[in-house]
Amino acid sequence: MILTSWPFAAFVAAVLAAYFLAGRRGQIAILLAASCGFYATWSWHAPLVLLAMTAANHAIARRLWERPSRGWIPFGVGLNVGALILLKYVAPTGDDATGLIGVLLPIGFSYRVLENVAFLVDASRRQLDGFPRLLDYALFSSYFPKLLSGPIERGRAFLAQLPRGRVVDDAALARAFTLIAVGLFRKLVLADGIRGLMPGSLFVSPGESPGLQIALWLLADVFVIYNDFAGYTSIVRGVSALFGFELSRNFDAPLLARNFSELWTRWHMSLSFWLRDYVYMPLSRALLRRDWRPDGVLNLVLPPAAAMFVSALWHGIAWNLLAWGALWGLFLILARLPSLFGPVVPPDRWSRRRQLLGTASVWCMLAGSTVLFRSDLPTAGRVFAAMLAPGVVTWPLVQALVLMGISLAIDVVQQRAREETVFLGWPAWARSGALAAVLVSVFLATRFEVPAPFVYQNF
Amino acid sequence: MEAATNAPTRATLSPRRPVGGTLVAAVAIAAALAAAGEGLARTAFARKHLPTPSVGCGQPQLDAKLALLDEIARRDGPVEGLFFGSSMVHRGIDPTVVGEVVRSETGRELRSFNFGLNGLSGRGEAPLAGIVVGRFRPRWIVLGVSPFALDDDRGVPLTERLLASPWIRQHQGARSLDGWLVDHSEAFRAWLGLRFWFLDPTTRADRLRQRGLMEGLRPDGYGYSAPAPLPDVDEKTIEYFSGYEVSPAQLASLSGTLALRSDLPIVVVEIPVHERVVGRFGRGDAAYRLGLDAIERTAAAAGVPFWRYPADRPVPADGWANYTHMNASGARHYSRWLGERLGAWSAGRDSR
């Protein structure tokens, strides 16, 4: 069931009706059943695999909570990572028997694995507000708005919402529908619109769009990925808000970042913060325990490199993705380099010109690295080579630049107010006009078209 | 041990004020914009200044011919007859010449339109003809066919686009909002036209090719093409045509189109090809004649006359744009013959 489809809207409406009519225990059970049903629309066995992993992780986490033991963490992490490697990477390439096992891979499993690992670690550190019941943990694990592509939630943050009174009042409803409307606009109008304008040969025969053209198309691809994923996240956060649950933000105007360090805290934030908390910081602390200086070269290089290596592996085991991760690691390291030589001035205190140059440099890094994200190494080489040839700006590229401008304008408005749903504070006529524009543009964008699948559903 | 304080509480839905005001206002604004757009799209100003409205099949030649027929119907009333078929009809039948001949032979005015489309095959012809006949209510149609146009590999891209289009599917019973909008909303068709020329993701090369299909398009639908020297028939051409075969599926589709005879009179006519390639068709000269025989049998089974092009009136040597398409000179020659036959046929019908 696609998130941008009428069947999904009908499904949410039906679940909402049952949810608010039910009692306390009934609400959890209804959400859990609905989540399993939603998952089953992608593959019938997916809920079974998910529930089996949920039960296993809950049991291991309970063991860690009650009697912390060093051996159980590696076992638990190994179980999750091993299941992911087996189902996603080993089984599909094997013979008929192993291929059959690979069919068991539920969509979004990579996200579940990160959530499970985080939960196990938090349980071992007793960083939970009490150990959850299996039913509550199963809901966290299977909660349908975040099933497909996250956000990667922390058990402690989600489960802490269960005992709280969740009142869905008019303000919450307005906020929820605003998030959904913004998400639909980003995905269906901006992401699909720009993607539709991109030459199909960009990552196949890059020589057909040489020079400046290809560089701008690569930047356009960054906007596609951003609006696609940010649109998805906005929709699922809005849907979740209808049930009274707050899901984490994934993006905070990342294309307005002024250096790569700042980008990392604004792009796919739930993954970045997971990497920070479970790879970067533990490695950094381990280095400090060995008396390495916090501002030393090793501490500068190893933690970001390790974090980006894990990120690359999470996206997929392929040489181009490893190269992409290495490049991002290098960018992070370079961004932190100035700290070796003294106190660093935060970007907010930079001159306007320096901030703009910083943003432009981030765009160049993103556009360059997106080649590795999208294509294999030989093709990436051809794309980079094509950039050296002369080229012209075409009409579809101009249209893509207009859509990219609209995307940036939304980001600027949201960032200035430091609020995604800033539009709710506009005068009534402006709110209604903006929503009318969204409705008309989404309607026209989806005529005669089948919306493209969300990019991050592939991971 | 699970903490009792972690027991979930119940979520409640309790809006303090009515919700949805912004949404209602937005829907009202959107509806007002749609109504204004619909009104504007129906004005002469919009028709003059906006790109040709589209039915969403990605074939601007089809859109252009529909728009021309709409204009004719608005200005002078519906046309009397339609010439239907592939690019061989588009370039081979000149309605103006046909009309001149009919007028000189019978004294009657004949208003007709050339609805030949580049790349139209039998499978696409049947549903499209039904829609066009239903919309423009001609009094007769002439189907121009040739064994060269009944090969399964001809016109695949347009056929697939037509059969997949919501507009065609709407008329085949697979109703959809998109199909309904194409049929009933001029603003929506205008939007589709704008989208094709300005927003469509097709490559520049494809868009240029589409423009090329409409070169020389006249108000009566005829596709003018100037004379050009023909190259010698080379090995590549021989091999290209030798693979042709009249397909049973295409003949069945032709039957489907001929089923329209229950609504209006239909005539099937042979569109000639250059004599040099007649013998190259399929497995030789006999294959071409056998193809014509198959067409004649199909027409006879539907109770529709089939007019073969007479061998004693060959299209002049300078009357060809290429080996399967006439140019303006050849179309004039052929259309005179067609005009004579149509004049006699319509006189015979009128006298009954």
Side-chain angles (χ1 to χ4, degrees):
Chain A
M1 209 186 301
I2 306 171
L3 262 59
T4 52
S5 66
W6 286 114
F8 180 74
F11 167 78
V12 170
V15 176
L16 273 172
Y19 179 76
F20 284 114
L21 288 172
R24 174 171 62 93
R25 289 187 192 279
Q27 286 187 335
I28 304 299
I30 283 168
L31 276 183
L32 184 57
S35 299
C36 290
F38 173 76
Y39 217 19
T41 63
W42 290 88
S43 56
W44 63 265
H45 56 263
L48 302 175
V49 174
L50 180 66
L51 291 175
M53 289 298 293
T54 298
N57 278 285
H58 187 262
I60 297 170
R62 179 191 287 281
R63 180 69 175 82
L64 288 165
W65 174 264
E66 290 173 350
R67 268 175 301 171
S69 156
R70 291 177 73 88
W72 281 96
I73 276 287
F75 173 72
V77 172
L79 177 71
N80 283 280
V81 173
L84 179 65
I85 292 174
L86 175 68
L87 295 180
K88 188 170 179 180
Y89 299 115
V90 172
T93 61
D95 57 21
D96 284 344
T98 50
L100 213 55
I101 295 172
V103 165
L104 291 175
L105 177 72
I107 192 169
F109 197 62
S110 309
Y111 299 87
R112 304 287 78 68
V113 164
L114 293 186
E115 289 182 341
N116 293 339
V117 167
F119 183 72
L120 292 176
V121 172
D122 289 351
S124 73
R125 295 173 182 169
R126 296 190 72 81
Q127 286 176 340
L128 305 172
D129 299 330
F131 194 77
R133 304 175 306 160
L134 177 60
L135 196 66
D136 297 343
Y137 178 71
L139 175 63
F140 158 68
S141 192
S142 66
Y143 185 49
F144 78 89
K146 66 172 179 62
L147 261 183
L148 299 182
S149 303
I152 301 162
E153 290 297 322
R154 306 298 175 86
R156 60 175 185 255
F158 184 89
L159 293 165
Q161 298 182 64
L162 287 177
R164 291 203 297 256
R166 300 185 304 286
V167 177
V168 180
D169 57 12
D170 48 287
L173 286 172
R175 187 166 177 281
F177 285 116
T178 302
L179 286 171
I180 292 170
V182 171
L184 287 173
F185 184 77
R186 281 195 182 278
K187 161 61 180 166
L188 297 175
V189 179
L190 297 181
D192 287 357
I194 299 173
R195 187 195 339 256
L197 291 163
M198 289 174 65
S201 60
L202 187 66
F203 295 109
V204 177
S205 310
E208 292 180 20
S209 309
L212 179 64
Q213 243 194 85
I214 202 168
L216 290 174
W217 279 126
L218 290 177
L219 183 62
D221 195 44
V222 171
F223 276 76
V224 168
I225 297 172
Y226 165 53
N227 281 286
D228 189 285
F229 202 5
Y232 158 85
T233 306
S234 194
I235 292 169
V236 302
R237 293 185 72 225
V239 168
S240 181
L242 293 173
F243 293 95
F245 287 102
E246 180 76 21
L247 294 180
S248 307
R249 283 187 77 171
N250 244 347
F251 296 91
D252 181 12
L255 298 181
L256 299 178
R258 290 149 303 182
N259 61 27
F260 213 81
S261 286
E262 193 176 33
L263 174 73
W264 199 44
T265 63
R266 294 181 178 219
W267 179 282
H268 200 177
M269 291 153 67
S270 63
L271 176 64
S272 297
F273 294 158
W274 189 98
L275 291 168
R276 178 197 62 191
D277 293 343
Y278 300 102
V279 179
Y280 190 108
M281 295 307 296
L283 184 55
S284 191
R285 282 194 293 267
L287 290 172
L288 287 175
R289 277 198 293 273
R290 281 157 179 74
D291 290 331
W292 292 104
R293 290 175 21 235
D295 56 348
V297 171
L298 216 54
N299 213 328
L300 180 78
V301 170
L302 279 185
M308 288 300 107
F309 179 68
V310 170
S311 173
L313 287 180
W314 178 81
H315 282 87
I317 297 181
W319 286 114
N320 61 299
L321 289 171
L322 288 174
W324 168 80
L327 202 55
W328 272 49
L330 176 65
F331 293 153
L332 265 178
I333 292 165
L334 291 173
R336 294 192 61 204
L337 215 52
S339 64
L340 278 181
F341 307 104
V344 172
V345 177
D348 280 343
R349 285 165 48 192
W350 294 356
S351 68
R352 188 99 182 100
R353 187 159 166 263
R354 188 178 169 192
Q355 290 188 42
L356 287 172
L357 280 174
T359 300
S361 69
V362 169
W363 287 7
C364 290
M365 288 186 265
L366 281 173
S369 59
T370 200
V371 184
L372 295 165
F373 189 72
R374 292 289 220 177
S375 51
D376 56 32
L377 288 178
T379 306
R382 288 201 297 276
V383 170
F384 288 127
M387 275 197 249
L388 300 174
V392 296
V393 174
T394 60
W395 175 234
L397 184 55
V398 169
Q399 295 169 64
L401 290 171
V402 169
L403 292 176
M404 289 154 67
I406 295 173
S407 170
L408 280 176
I410 295 173
D411 284 351
V412 166
V413 166
Q414 289 176 326
Q415 179 169 265
R416 279 197 180 153
R418 299 197 185 281
E419 173 55 63
E420 284 175 286
T421 54
V422 55
F423 318 101
L424 289 174
W426 287 2
W429 64 268
R431 262 198 331 265
S432 306
L435 183 56
V438 167
L439 290 175
V440 171
S441 57
V442 166
F443 178 78
L444 291 178
T446 52
R447 296 303 94 215
F448 279 60
E449 297 284 352
V450 176
F454 288 102
V455 170
Y456 263 76
Q457 238 168 247
N458 297 322
F459 302 107
Chain B
M1 179 181 70
E2 292 164 9
T5 52
N6 283 346
T9 59
R10 185 174 178 275
T12 53
L13 178 66
S14 52
R16 289 185 297 264
R17 292 192 307 245
V19 291
T22 303
L23 180 61
V24 168
V27 168
I29 293 171
L33 283 172
E38 188 64 35
L40 179 65
R42 290 168 189 259
T43 62
F45 175 85
R47 282 189 211 110
K48 193 175 171 195
H49 291 97
L50 290 178
T52 306
S54 173
V55 291
C57 296
Q59 225 276 18
Q61 193 188 43
L62 168 62
D63 297 328
K65 293 211 174 186
L66 287 171
L68 284 171
L69 270 174
D70 275 331
E71 180 60 31
I72 292 169
R74 262 193 300 270
R75 194 182 57 225
D76 305 321
V79 294
E80 181 180 335
L82 283 179
F83 301 105
F84 218 88
S86 67
S87 53
M88 297 171 80
V89 168
H90 172 65
R91 298 219 230 164
I93 298 180
D94 188 334
T96 301
V97 171
V98 171
E100 282 166 2
V101 171
V102 169
R103 192 184 320 114
S104 74
E105 303 242 322
T106 68
R108 212 163 60 76
E109 289 299 323
L110 176 70
R111 288 170 54 240
S112 59
F113 187 87
N114 181 320
F115 210 95
L117 289 182
N118 288 33
L120 186 65
S121 76
R123 281 178 63 221
E125 201 172 71
L128 184 59
I131 297 173
V132 172
V133 164
R135 187 160 153 170
F136 297 106
R137 300 262 167 238
R139 287 168 54 194
W140 48 261
I141 60 174
V142 168
L143 273 179
V145 295
S146 162
F148 276 82
L150 293 175
D151 180 82
D152 263 338
D153 287 334
R154 298 243 318 132
V156 171
L158 172 60
T159 300
E160 296 308 319
R161 275 205 290 262
L162 280 175
L163 295 179
S165 82
W167 180 57
I168 297 280
R169 287 166 56 78
Q170 173 85 1
H171 286 270
Q172 290 178 315
R175 301 195 182 282
S176 66
L177 177 60
D178 289 348
W180 186 90
L181 285 170
V182 171
D183 259 347
H184 295 89
S185 170
E186 288 206 32
F188 190 67
R189 288 199 295 277
W191 158 254
L192 289 178
L194 269 170
R195 196 176 83 158
F196 180 84
W197 290 111
F198 293 107
L199 303 176
D200 197 88
T202 51
T203 63
R204 183 165 181 264
D206 189 53
R207 202 172 280 134
L208 287 176
R209 187 179 62 80
Q210 297 280 7
R211 278 194 199 275
L213 292 179
M214 299 199 302
E215 271 172 16
L217 181 63
R218 279 196 339 216
D220 58 6
Y222 173 61
Y224 173 88
S225 56
L230 290 178
D232 284 332
V233 180
D234 57 9
E235 283 302 318
K236 232 165 122 180
T237 307
I238 293 171
E239 194 169 322
Y240 182 67
F241 290 132
S242 66
Y244 272 47
E245 208 174 315
V246 172
S247 148
Q250 297 287 353
L251 284 173
S253 298
L254 176 60
S255 295
T257 308
L258 297 180
L260 285 170
R261 71 172 286 277
S262 60
D263 296 333
L264 78 173
I266 302 178
V267 175
V268 180
V269 303
E270 176 196 354
I271 305 288
V273 295
H274 198 286
E275 61 181 359
R276 277 197 217 161
V277 294
V278 167
R280 271 31 177 215
F281 176 81
R283 285 176 275 282
D285 183 40
Y288 183 82
R289 279 201 304 274
L290 288 172
L292 286 179
D293 291 344
I295 292 170
E296 187 164 33
R297 280 196 301 276
T298 305
V304 165
F306 174 53
W307 299 341
R308 291 197 193 219
Y309 188 66
D312 59 355
R313 285 177 73 162
V315 175
D318 65 349
W320 296 98
N322 57 45
Y323 287 106
T324 53
H325 294 80
M326 289 172 269
N327 60 23
S329 170
R332 219 169 6 251
H333 181 89
Y334 175 80
S335 301
R336 280 196 208 106
W337 166 80
L338 187 57
E340 289 163 14
R341 291 295 305 258
L342 273 174
W345 177 67
S346 61
R349 280 180 49 241
D350 289 345
S351 67
R352 278 195 228 115

